[in-house]
Amino acid sequence: MADLQEMGQKAAAVKFVLQKMNTEDKNRGLLAAAERLVERAEVILSANEEDMKAARNHGMNQGLQDRLKLTADRIGDMAEGLRQIAALPDCIGEVMEQFVRPNGLEISKIRVPMGVIGIIYEARPNVTADAFGLCFKTGNAVILKGGSDALESNKAIVNVIREALEECGIPGDVLQLIADTDRKVTIEFMKCKEYVDLLIPRGSGGLIRSVVENSTIPVIETGTGNCHVYVDKDADLDMAAQIIYNAKIQRIGVCNACESLVIHREIREAFLPMLKRALDSHQVELRGDEGVREILPNCIPATEEDYGREYLDYILSLKTVDTVEEAIAHINRYNTKHSECIVTENQETAEQFLNEVDAACVYWNASTRFTDGFEFGFGAEIGISTQKLHARGPMGLKELTSYKYMIRGKGQVRA
Amino acid sequence: MADLQEMGQKAAAVKFVLQKMNTEDKNRGLLAAAERLVERAEVILSANEEDMKAARNHGMNQGLQDRLKLTADRIGDMAEGLRQIAALPDCIGEVMEQFVRPNGLEISKIRVPMGVIGIIYEARPNVTADAFGLCFKTGNAVILKGGSDALESNKAIVNVIREALEECGIPGDVLQLIADTDRKVTIEFMKCKEYVDLLIPRGSGGLIRSVVENSTIPVIETGTGNCHVYVDKDADLDMAAQIIYNAKIQRIGVCNACESLVIHREIREAFLPMLKRALDSHQVELRGDEGVREILPNCIPATEEDYGREYLDYILSLKTVDTVEEAIAHINRYNTKHSECIVTENQETAEQFLNEVDAACVYWNASTRFTDGFEFGFGAEIGISTQKLHARGPMGLKELTSYKYMIRGKGQVRA
C-alpha cells in the first residue's frame, strides 16, 4: 500500500507544475508523446504480445482479445488521438464569469484543472494514451489503473510517453500507472481521497458499481445505456424506421444503441411490419407486449426484466402505449438516463417529450447514436456521464476541469 | 429500512411534478410556507421546547443548546428566508448553450433540477426550512435527515410547510423528513442511490467524513476551513492588520475565519507588534515559529499540528517565510482549499498568489470572511464546497441544478 501513498504524493507535487504550464508546452508534450509512440511501436507491440500470449493461455474470449490486441495501425491511431488533442483549444485560465460587488470587490470565476484524476478501466490499452492526453491537456496529473490483462502493454505505453515528456522537460510523474494487479490495491486506490480529486471508471457495469460503492473520492459515473425510441402516432414512419435501424444496428455493443422501442397503439399496424422487415436483415430478435404481438404474432413475449435490460445485442424490446404521457412514464421508469428519442411530426408532443423525459440527451427525430463527444463537436471524449452531478452526457475537455474564484480588493473587511 | 424505500419512491414520483412546475407556482408555495410558519409558530415552539427539555436533561452544552433553540424571532427569520428565496430569479429552463452541428442537429444545453436531494445535518432546526426553500425553488424534491436532538422541532416545521404546500395544490412529498433516529437508518439513507441524485452533508468534520465514507450517492462536501492570510513584504501594514483582525475576530466559529498568518521575514519587526496590539483586545493566543518568536518572545511555539488546525477559537498560528513561493507552498500544504488571502501592494506577487494557491476562493487585499453566497451576490447559500467536482466555494441556487441536452433533428442517422 505504501506505493499508492508515494504515487499520490508525486501526483500532488506535479499538479502545481501542471497548473502553471502554458498551452504551448502542453501541446509540445502531447506531440512528442505521439511521435515517440510511433517510433517505439516495436517495444509496445512486443509487450502487447506478452499480454496476448497470457490471454490466449487463459482462454480469454475473442471479443476481449480483440480489444486487448495492438497493431502498428492501432498505435498510429493512439498517436493521432494525441495530435488531435494538441490541436484543440486550451480552456484552462478561461474567465467563466466576472462581476463587481457593491463594496468594490472584483470577483472572477476562473477555469482551473481538477488537480489529480484517477482512471480505472479494463484491458483496453488504447485508453491509456487517450486518458493521458485528455487529462494532460487540461492540466491534470493522472494515475491510471488499467485491466490486469493489459499490464505489460500499459507499462510499455506509459514508459514511452513519460520518456517523451521528460525529454521536453516535463516531469514524467504527470502520468503514473498502478502496476500492482492485486484487487486490494485497486480498492485502496479508490480511497486515496487525500491525493486524488476525481475518479472516473470506464468499463462494464460491474466495474462502475464497484467504484461507486468503494470510492471515497468524488466519482463520475460513465454508465450503461438502456436507450429508447418512441414512435408517436404523428411520426413519419419511414423516418422512424430509419432512426431505429440506425440506433439499433449501426453498432450494437455501445451504450447509446437503442435497446427498446415504445410505440403508439394507433400506428402499430402500419409501422410494425415495416420495422420488422428492416430489422430482419440483421435477424434482430423482437420481444414485445400484447399490443405488439397482436400485430406480430411470432414476436417473443417481453417480460418486465426485458424492459430494464441493456442487451448490447441483436435484440429489441417493444412496448405499446396509448399516449405520449404513458411513453414518458415508461421511459422514465426503465431508462438509465442516457439517451432517449421521440419520432413525431407534432411539435407540441415533441416539446413535451424533450422536457419531461429525464435523460442526459433527449432527441427529437434523430438517432440516439449521436450521443458522443465527437458528434457533439467537443473534439474529444473521456466518457458519457449518466449522473447529474458535475457533468451529464458526453464529457470533453471542459468536463475535466474545475474553477476557482479570484477576489481582488482594496482592503475590504466584512461588517 | 422499508420506510426509506417508500420515501425514495415518493420523492422520485414528485420530482416529475416539480420539473414541470412554473416559477409562479413555486413562489406561491414558498410564500405560503413562510406565512404558515409564522401563523403556526406556537406549535413549532412547543415542539422545540420538548427538544430543549431533553437536551437540558442530557446535559447538552450551551453552544449546541443555543443552535437548537427556537424563538418567535428565529421562526420569523426562517419565514423571511423563504420569502427572499421566492424573490430570487428561477434558473430552471435556462438555455446554457446552443449550437448547430454541420449535419443540422440543433443541440441545446438546458438547466434542469438535480431531481432528489438528500441533506444530512445537525441539530439546527433553521436549516430545515432553509434547505427546503433552496431545493424547492430549484425544482428538487428533498429528503432531510436532521440531528436527532432536533427531531420534534423538525417534525413540526416539516408538517407546517407540507400543510401550506398541500393547500396550494403542491404535493407535500416534495419535502420529507427521516424521523427514525437510528444511526443505521442514516447510513442506509446514504446508499439510496436509486432514488437520490445528490447528498449534501452540512455540519462538523465528523459528519462530513461519515457521509463521504459511506455514501454511494454523489456527495458535495461542504468542508472545514483552515484559512490563511499571507502578509507580503510589500504589504500595506495597516490594511494587513485590519484584514487579519476582521478575518480572525469578526466571527470566530465559521469556516471562512482566518486560522493562520503567514508573514514575510522582512516585515516581522514592523508588523508583528502592531498585530499583537490589535489582537490582544480579544486575548487572541498566538502560536508562532522561531521567526515570530524572535520578535514576540512570549509567543507560544507552534507545532506542525498547529499549522493543520481549524481552531474556530481565539487562537492564531503564525509562520515566517522568506519568499512568496514559500508562502504558497506552505498554504498549499496545510490548507483545506477553502479561502486564502494575500496582502500586498505588489501586483505581480498578488497575481502569482492568486494563480498558484489551490483554494476555492483566493483573495488579494480583502478579508476571507467574504466567502459566502450572500456576499458573492448569489442571494442564497446551501453551503461552501471544498471539493472540485461540480461546485466550488459558495453554492447558491444554480449549484443545486444539473443540465440536459435537447437535440432536435430532421431524421438524421449516424453514418
Side-chain angles (χ1 to χ4, degrees), chain A residues 162-187:
Chain A
R162 285 176 57 115
E163 212 179 275
L165 294 174
E166 297 267 5
E167 278 181 26
C168 299
I170 298 166
D173 286 339
V174 300
L175 168 62
Q176 295 184 84
L177 176 74
I178 298 174
D180 195 326
T181 58
D182 188 342
R183 212 183 116 73
K184 270 190 249 150
V185 172
T186 310
I187 300 288

Short mmCIF file of all heavy atoms in Angstrom, two decimals, chain A residues 162-187:
data_model
loop_
_atom_site.label_atom_id
_atom_site.label_comp_id
_atom_site.label_asym_id
_atom_site.label_seq_id
_atom_site.Cartn_x
_atom_site.Cartn_y
_atom_site.Cartn_z
N ARG A 162 6.16 8.81 -20.89
CA ARG A 162 6.94 9.51 -19.85
C ARG A 162 8.32 9.93 -20.36
O ARG A 162 8.78 11.04 -20.09
CB ARG A 162 7.10 8.62 -18.61
CG ARG A 162 5.83 8.50 -17.78
CD ARG A 162 6.00 7.54 -16.61
NE ARG A 162 7.11 7.92 -15.75
CZ ARG A 162 6.98 8.31 -14.48
NH1 ARG A 162 5.79 8.35 -13.92
NH2 ARG A 162 8.04 8.65 -13.78
N GLU A 163 8.94 9.03 -21.11
CA GLU A 163 10.26 9.30 -21.70
C GLU A 163 10.17 10.54 -22.59
O GLU A 163 10.99 11.45 -22.50
CB GLU A 163 10.60 8.09 -22.56
CG GLU A 163 12.04 7.72 -22.70
CD GLU A 163 12.12 6.46 -23.57
OE1 GLU A 163 11.98 5.34 -23.02
OE2 GLU A 163 12.25 6.63 -24.81
N ALA A 164 9.13 10.57 -23.43
CA ALA A 164 8.97 11.70 -24.37
C ALA A 164 8.75 13.00 -23.59
O ALA A 164 9.31 14.04 -23.93
CB ALA A 164 7.79 11.43 -25.30
N LEU A 165 7.95 12.93 -22.54
CA LEU A 165 7.68 14.12 -21.74
C LEU A 165 8.95 14.63 -21.07
O LEU A 165 9.26 15.82 -21.10
CB LEU A 165 6.61 13.83 -20.68
CG LEU A 165 5.20 13.50 -21.20
CD1 LEU A 165 4.30 13.09 -20.04
CD2 LEU A 165 4.59 14.69 -21.92
N GLU A 166 9.67 13.70 -20.45
CA GLU A 166 10.89 14.08 -19.72
C GLU A 166 11.86 14.81 -20.66
O GLU A 166 12.50 15.78 -20.27
CB GLU A 166 11.57 12.85 -19.11
CG GLU A 166 10.74 12.10 -18.08
CD GLU A 166 11.02 12.54 -16.63
OE1 GLU A 166 11.79 13.49 -16.44
OE2 GLU A 166 10.42 11.92 -15.71
N GLU A 167 11.94 14.34 -21.90
CA GLU A 167 12.84 14.99 -22.85
C GLU A 167 12.39 16.41 -23.20
O GLU A 167 13.18 17.21 -23.65
CB GLU A 167 12.98 14.16 -24.13
CG GLU A 167 14.00 13.06 -23.93
CD GLU A 167 14.19 12.21 -25.17
OE1 GLU A 167 13.96 12.73 -26.29
OE2 GLU A 167 14.57 11.05 -25.01
N CYS A 168 11.10 16.68 -23.00
CA CYS A 168 10.60 18.06 -23.18
C CYS A 168 10.72 18.86 -21.89
O CYS A 168 10.19 19.97 -21.81
CB CYS A 168 9.14 18.06 -23.59
SG CYS A 168 8.77 17.25 -25.12
N GLY A 169 11.32 18.27 -20.87
CA GLY A 169 11.45 18.98 -19.60
C GLY A 169 10.19 18.94 -18.75
O GLY A 169 10.01 19.75 -17.84
N ILE A 170 9.29 18.01 -19.07
CA ILE A 170 8.03 17.88 -18.31
C ILE A 170 8.18 16.68 -17.38
O ILE A 170 8.59 15.61 -17.83
CB ILE A 170 6.84 17.66 -19.27
CG1 ILE A 170 6.67 18.88 -20.19
CG2 ILE A 170 5.55 17.38 -18.49
CD1 ILE A 170 5.77 18.63 -21.38
N PRO A 171 7.87 16.82 -16.08
CA PRO A 171 8.06 15.68 -15.18
C PRO A 171 7.19 14.49 -15.59
O PRO A 171 5.99 14.63 -15.81
CB PRO A 171 7.64 16.22 -13.81
CG PRO A 171 6.96 17.51 -14.04
CD PRO A 171 7.37 18.01 -15.39
N GLY A 172 7.82 13.32 -15.69
CA GLY A 172 7.11 12.11 -16.10
C GLY A 172 5.97 11.76 -15.17
O GLY A 172 5.00 11.10 -15.57
N ASP A 173 6.04 12.24 -13.92
CA ASP A 173 5.01 11.88 -12.94
C ASP A 173 3.64 12.47 -13.23
O ASP A 173 2.67 12.19 -12.51
CB ASP A 173 5.45 12.29 -11.53
CG ASP A 173 6.54 11.35 -11.00
OD1 ASP A 173 6.64 10.21 -11.52
OD2 ASP A 173 7.27 11.75 -10.09
N VAL A 174 3.52 13.28 -14.26
CA VAL A 174 2.17 13.72 -14.66
C VAL A 174 1.36 12.51 -15.11
O VAL A 174 0.13 12.55 -15.15
CB VAL A 174 2.19 14.79 -15.77
CG1 VAL A 174 2.93 16.04 -15.31
CG2 VAL A 174 2.78 14.25 -17.06
N LEU A 175 2.04 11.42 -15.45
CA LEU A 175 1.37 10.18 -15.87
C LEU A 175 1.95 9.02 -15.08
O LEU A 175 3.14 8.71 -15.20
CB LEU A 175 1.60 9.93 -17.38
CG LEU A 175 1.21 8.55 -17.93
CD1 LEU A 175 -0.29 8.29 -17.75
CD2 LEU A 175 1.60 8.43 -19.40
N GLN A 176 1.12 8.40 -14.24
CA GLN A 176 1.58 7.26 -13.46
C GLN A 176 0.61 6.09 -13.67
O GLN A 176 -0.58 6.29 -13.87
CB GLN A 176 1.66 7.61 -11.98
CG GLN A 176 2.69 8.68 -11.66
CD GLN A 176 2.79 8.93 -10.15
OE1 GLN A 176 3.48 8.23 -9.44
NE2 GLN A 176 2.06 9.92 -9.67
N LEU A 177 1.18 4.89 -13.57
CA LEU A 177 0.39 3.67 -13.77
C LEU A 177 0.52 2.80 -12.52
O LEU A 177 1.63 2.58 -12.04
CB LEU A 177 0.94 2.92 -14.99
CG LEU A 177 0.30 1.56 -15.30
CD1 LEU A 177 -1.09 1.74 -15.91
CD2 LEU A 177 1.19 0.75 -16.26
N ILE A 178 -0.59 2.33 -12.01
CA ILE A 178 -0.54 1.38 -10.90
C ILE A 178 -0.26 0.00 -11.48
O ILE A 178 -1.08 -0.54 -12.23
CB ILE A 178 -1.87 1.38 -10.12
CG1 ILE A 178 -2.10 2.77 -9.51
CG2 ILE A 178 -1.88 0.30 -9.04
CD1 ILE A 178 -3.45 2.93 -8.84
N ALA A 179 0.90 -0.53 -11.15
CA ALA A 179 1.33 -1.78 -11.81
C ALA A 179 1.01 -3.00 -10.95
O ALA A 179 1.25 -4.13 -11.36
CB ALA A 179 2.83 -1.72 -12.10
N ASP A 180 0.47 -2.78 -9.78
CA ASP A 180 0.11 -3.88 -8.88
C ASP A 180 -1.26 -4.41 -9.30
O ASP A 180 -2.22 -3.64 -9.38
CB ASP A 180 0.07 -3.36 -7.44
CG ASP A 180 0.06 -4.49 -6.43
OD1 ASP A 180 -0.54 -5.55 -6.71
OD2 ASP A 180 0.64 -4.30 -5.35
N THR A 181 -1.38 -5.70 -9.55
CA THR A 181 -2.65 -6.22 -10.06
C THR A 181 -3.54 -6.77 -8.94
O THR A 181 -4.63 -7.26 -9.21
CB THR A 181 -2.42 -7.34 -11.10
OG1 THR A 181 -1.65 -8.37 -10.46
CG2 THR A 181 -1.68 -6.81 -12.30
N ASP A 182 -3.09 -6.65 -7.71
CA ASP A 182 -3.90 -7.10 -6.57
C ASP A 182 -5.16 -6.22 -6.47
O ASP A 182 -5.08 -5.00 -6.44
CB ASP A 182 -3.06 -6.95 -5.29
CG ASP A 182 -3.74 -7.57 -4.08
OD1 ASP A 182 -4.97 -7.80 -4.12
OD2 ASP A 182 -3.04 -7.83 -3.09
N ARG A 183 -6.32 -6.89 -6.40
CA ARG A 183 -7.58 -6.15 -6.32
C ARG A 183 -7.65 -5.26 -5.10
O ARG A 183 -8.28 -4.19 -5.13
CB ARG A 183 -8.73 -7.16 -6.29
CG ARG A 183 -10.01 -6.65 -6.95
CD ARG A 183 -11.14 -7.62 -6.83
NE ARG A 183 -12.22 -7.04 -6.04
CZ ARG A 183 -13.03 -6.08 -6.46
NH1 ARG A 183 -12.90 -5.59 -7.66
NH2 ARG A 183 -13.99 -5.61 -5.67
N LYS A 184 -6.99 -5.70 -4.02
CA LYS A 184 -6.99 -4.89 -2.79
C LYS A 184 -6.36 -3.52 -3.02
O LYS A 184 -6.76 -2.52 -2.42
CB LYS A 184 -6.20 -5.62 -1.69
CG LYS A 184 -7.07 -6.54 -0.85
CD LYS A 184 -6.31 -7.04 0.38
CE LYS A 184 -6.02 -8.52 0.28
NZ LYS A 184 -4.82 -8.98 0.94
N VAL A 185 -5.35 -3.50 -3.88
CA VAL A 185 -4.68 -2.23 -4.19
C VAL A 185 -5.65 -1.31 -4.93
O VAL A 185 -5.71 -0.11 -4.67
CB VAL A 185 -3.40 -2.48 -5.01
CG1 VAL A 185 -2.80 -1.17 -5.50
CG2 VAL A 185 -2.39 -3.25 -4.17
N THR A 186 -6.42 -1.88 -5.84
CA THR A 186 -7.40 -1.07 -6.58
C THR A 186 -8.42 -0.47 -5.61
O THR A 186 -8.77 0.71 -5.71
CB THR A 186 -8.12 -1.92 -7.65
OG1 THR A 186 -7.12 -2.60 -8.41
CG2 THR A 186 -8.96 -1.08 -8.56
N ILE A 187 -8.90 -1.29 -4.68
CA ILE A 187 -9.88 -0.79 -3.70
C ILE A 187 -9.23 0.32 -2.85
O ILE A 187 -9.85 1.36 -2.61
CB ILE A 187 -10.37 -1.94 -2.78
CG1 ILE A 187 -11.03 -3.05 -3.60
CG2 ILE A 187 -11.30 -1.42 -1.69
CD1 ILE A 187 -12.39 -2.73 -4.17
#
